[in-house]
Amino acid sequence: MDSDGRVDLPALRRLVARLCAADVDSIGLLGSTGSYPYLPREERRRALEAAIDEAGGRVPILVGVGALRTDEAMRLAQDAEAAGAAAGLLAAVSYTPLTPDEVFEHVATVARASGLPLCLYDNPSTTHFRFEPDLVIRLSRLPGIVAVKSPGMEPQAVAAHLAALRDAVPAEFSLGYSGDWTVTEALLAGADAWYSVVAGLFPQVATDILRAARAGDADEARRLNARLEPLWALFRQHSSLRVMYACANRLELCHTAPPRPILPLGAEAQAQVAAVIRTLDLR
């Protein structure tokens, strides 16, 4: 997007085409790395329509529909359903901390009003609300609630989290995780999906890890993950959002800056990003 928050559609189409060519399983549009909370409804609709047109049915698109108000999230989900999105990603976005019952009603209302399949987006570091297993289980039994995107966890924690959910949710309900530097162990523990930041620009390095894990080759999956530790370190130090903006600019995939008040990385951090791209041969 430009400094006024207008989506750069040609640049977005290039990114979508790049992902389609990499044969990814799905594309996550307007997630946290896509800076969705900073975009008004019309810009989110423009982005969605362009992405779906570019994908041309080759790859399903999951689109962020989170918003502060339930009625606004309903309208965004209705837009997504009308445009042909495969599913919506719904976070418990709020200024006032929400209760589990409030989140349950919020999700149920958006699902009922839109008819769009929804993935719960558990992002407590941003929303300050955590989808505890009992709430995920309750929601998984509602029509249209098809998946959960849980935050990254340490290996023992993710194994326990999966165990708490696996036998209590419907068999077709997908259990996925984010937190790129922790996801390899989640995949090896039996997670269904990786909601990846790095794959948005570098799909091959992510799909290599995913395929090794799916094949049961734990040594190879861990080797590939360990190779990316310099990038994971930058994510942890500067945030994956800022690093991915710097990577996209460095590779000239687009020319943009994070939405203010978020500032681009400084010169020293930009040099670190350039060095990691060069060392890891990311492209």
Side-chain angles (χ1 to χ4, degrees), residues 22-69:
D23 195 28
V24 296
D25 294 326
S26 62
I27 294 173
L29 183 78
L30 298 177
S32 293
T33 313
S35 306
Y36 76 92
Y38 300 91
L39 290 170
R41 180 184 179 190
E42 179 56 32
E43 288 306 306
R44 290 165 74 161
R45 185 190 291 123
R46 288 178 69 240
L48 176 59
E49 290 173 350
I52 287 179
D53 181 68
E54 185 64 39
R58 292 173 289 170
V59 180
I61 291 183
L62 169 76
V63 60
V65 295
L68 276 170
R69 293 174 55 97

Side-chain angles (χ1 to χ4, degrees), residues 13 18 34 38 56 149 159 196 266:
R13 283 179 174 272
R18 179 182 172 94
Y38 300 91
K149 172 185 177 180
S196 176

Side-chain angles (χ1 to χ4, degrees), residues 251-264:
L251 296 176
E252 298 189 337
L253 295 173
C254 59
H255 298 282
T256 186
R260 297 292 295 270
I262 304 169
L263 296 175

Side-chain angles (χ1 to χ4, degrees), residues 70-84:
T70 299
D71 54 2
E72 184 181 359
M74 285 167 44
R75 287 189 287 269
L76 291 166
Q78 289 165 346
D79 289 347
E81 198 280 331

